[in-house]
Amino acid sequence: MSTTGPVRRQDRDLTGASRRNTLVTIMFFAAGIVFLDRFGITFLFPQIGAELHLTNSQLGSLVSVTAITWAISSLIFSVLSDRFGGRAKWLIVASLVLFSGAVGLIGLAPDYETMLLFRAIIGFCEGPAIPLIQGAVARASSPGRRGRNLGIVIAGTLVIGSALAPGIMVGLATAVGWRPAFALVAVPGIAVAILVAVFMREEGSATHTHRVRARDFRLVLANRNVLLALVGTTVCIGSSIGFGTFAPVFLAAEGHSPATSTLVLTVYGLVIALGNIVAPAVSDRFGRKPALCAAAVCSGLVPVFFVLFADSVPLLMASMVVGLMAGGSLTLIAYVVPGESVPPELMATAFALQIAVGETVGGTLGPQLGGAVADATHDLANTLLLYGAAPILLVLVSVLIRETAPHRR
């Protein structure tokens, strides 16, 4: 009896698995570069704010304006990608190249207004990247590994954009000054764009013959899980961006040295990044609802522990264990649940809708409200406690959504 058929099938399976793993690895770095270039500036806020004489509200605006333009462009280009059959490769490459160039211009800004303009351009260029990256990974993943793979990609945003970012940005600023540092961090984005261009294959264009029409988008907007996820995503993005904006300033205000602050934020970023793999993997086994509920509770504890243990670095480090679940909250509510609630050809649109609303509302109000609270009360601890209370809404969302895990539906 011939075994050629089974052997060839096994070889094809191994080749397909290798190709999918390569895609996930590249997208891990691509997503990480996106967030390094977007949020790396926050780790230099103490220097930038001092040189340009900026208030906390103005520092918050530099983050908020990026969120607004990010939201607009992510929805526009993700819808276009779905409309034309999921061809995302060259949109991702263009996004990486363009926002990397825009980041290099930040160091040339002579004042607050110019920097605000450059930050708006960065947001518009970066906007399509994450929804399209997640759409490509979701389409290429098997149902049993979709949560894990989406979590790995988002973990890249935290490993590179949060854990490594303090050391990268502060180290470059210390060595060459904060202005040249932005030109240097633009280089990796170009390198990753080349990797995407060389190695990414268009999963959607080969397998999906359906072309999304305008009426198909009503399926997304009418879906209960998608609408509930909009609330949860807004809370997640608002609290996480706000916390990331003011945590470095809070640690500096508490008297910690730049080296200590960098250590704390690096450990925090690594734990949250690991959480982006742990929590979605837990959801693959036990369901999305219980995993999301646990992640929501833990995400509220993170900023509270920062305030409670600000005077003790060892206790602060130990408390970060809650990040092992907190880190997966955004992945679950913005990508896994919406992606499993709509047809595959509408995944990128569902992701982009979450990010568009979450960034516009949460990404704008989160830093703005936090900065206003800090300026009004003259205490950044109150701002962090605000971000600790916000995930209560996410707990409610986790109770109301319908389970989407394939093995539990």
Side-chain angles (χ1 to χ4, degrees):
M1 184 173 64
S2 174
T3 59
T4 302
V7 170
R8 286 180 178 174
R9 224 173 9 251
Q10 184 179 28
D11 289 343
R12 284 196 300 270
D13 290 343
L14 291 174
T15 301
S18 176
R19 181 164 52 81
R20 287 191 292 271
N21 290 337
T22 299
L23 175 67
V24 172
T25 301
I26 292 174
M27 294 313 186
F28 170 92
F29 286 102
I33 295 299
V34 170
F35 272 63
L36 172 64
D37 286 356
R38 179 180 176 184
F39 292 113
I41 189 174
T42 63
F43 302 106
L44 301 184
F45 271 174
Q47 298 97 305
I48 295 172
E51 181 174 325
L52 300 182
H53 307 291
L54 305 182
T55 66
N56 286 315
S57 295
Q58 288 176 318
L59 292 176
S61 295
L62 292 176
V63 178
S64 296
V65 70
T66 307
I68 295 172
T69 54
W70 172 297
I72 294 170
S73 68
S74 69
L75 186 57
I76 291 173
F77 289 105
S78 295
V79 167
L80 288 176
S81 173
D82 277 350
R83 176 68 181 85
F84 294 107
R87 291 183 174 89
K89 176 177 178 176
W90 296 110
L91 282 175
I92 295 173
V93 171
S95 175
L96 289 167
V97 171
L98 291 174
F99 77 68
S100 296
V103 167
L105 297 175
I106 287 289
L108 302 178
D111 50 37
Y112 167 70
E113 291 75 18
T114 306
M115 186 171 288
L116 196 67
L117 174 61
F118 287 157
R119 291 285 296 170
I121 294 172
I122 289 170
F124 190 82
C125 295
E126 284 184 328
I130 297 298
L132 295 179
I133 286 171
Q134 290 290 65
V137 171
R139 283 190 291 269
S141 301
S142 62
R145 295 193 174 187
R146 185 175 296 132
R148 186 203 67 172
N149 287 347
L150 292 175
I152 289 173
V153 172
I154 295 300
T157 69
L158 293 160
V159 172
I160 299 172
S162 181
L164 299 182
I168 293 171
M169 299 304 298
V170 174
L172 289 175
T174 301
V176 299
W178 68 264
R179 292 184 180 275
F182 286 103
L184 294 176
V185 298
V187 176
I190 306 296
V192 174
I194 295 172
L195 290 177
V196 173
V198 172
F199 292 104
M200 180 179 172
R201 292 178 59 180
E202 293 281 18
E203 298 285 342
S205 61
T207 59
H208 296 155
T209 58
H210 178 71
R211 292 296 182 267
V212 179
R213 297 176 237 182
R215 65 173 178 266
D216 292 328
F217 299 124
R218 289 198 291 270
L219 292 174
V220 176
L221 295 173
N223 187 282
R224 170 182 169 173
N225 275 7
V226 171
L227 295 177
L228 286 170
L230 288 175
V231 178
T233 300
T234 299
V235 170
C236 274
I237 290 178
S239 57
S240 63
I241 290 179
F243 178 74
T245 299
F246 293 107
V249 186
F250 172 76
L251 292 174
E254 290 295 311
H256 294 293
S257 67
T260 300
S261 297
T262 298
L263 175 62
V264 170
L265 293 171
T266 298
V267 172
Y268 163 74
L270 288 173
V271 172
I272 294 295
L274 184 58
N276 259 281
I277 300 174
V278 171
V282 168
S283 79
D284 283 340
R285 181 169 180 82
F286 297 103
R288 313 307 186 198
K289 287 170 66 76
L292 178 60
C293 185
V297 172
C298 291
S299 64
L301 292 176
V302 170
V304 172
F305 286 162
F306 258 71
V307 174
L308 291 178
F309 304 129
D311 295 332
S312 174
V313 173
L315 285 177
L316 183 56
M317 296 284 203
S319 72
M320 289 182 193
V321 68
V322 297
L324 290 176
M325 282 303 294
S329 56
L330 182 60
T331 299
L332 290 171
I333 195 59
Y335 298 107
V336 177
V337 170
E340 292 178 334
S341 301
V342 300
E345 63 269 16
L346 290 170
M347 277 185 179
T349 295
F351 297 159
L353 180 64
Q354 297 298 319
I355 299 305
V357 175
E359 292 281 0
T360 302
V361 182
T364 301
L365 292 181
Q368 287 292 314
L369 289 176
V373 168
D375 286 339
T377 64
H378 306 289
D379 190 351
L380 282 164
N382 293 326
T383 296
L384 267 60
L385 292 176
L386 171 67
Y387 300 137
I392 293 173
L393 283 174
L394 185 57
V395 173
L396 179 61
V397 167
S398 71
V399 173
L400 296 176
I401 63 168
R402 294 190 178 102
E403 182 61 70
T404 65
H407 69 282
R408 295 180 65 89
R409 279 185 297 196

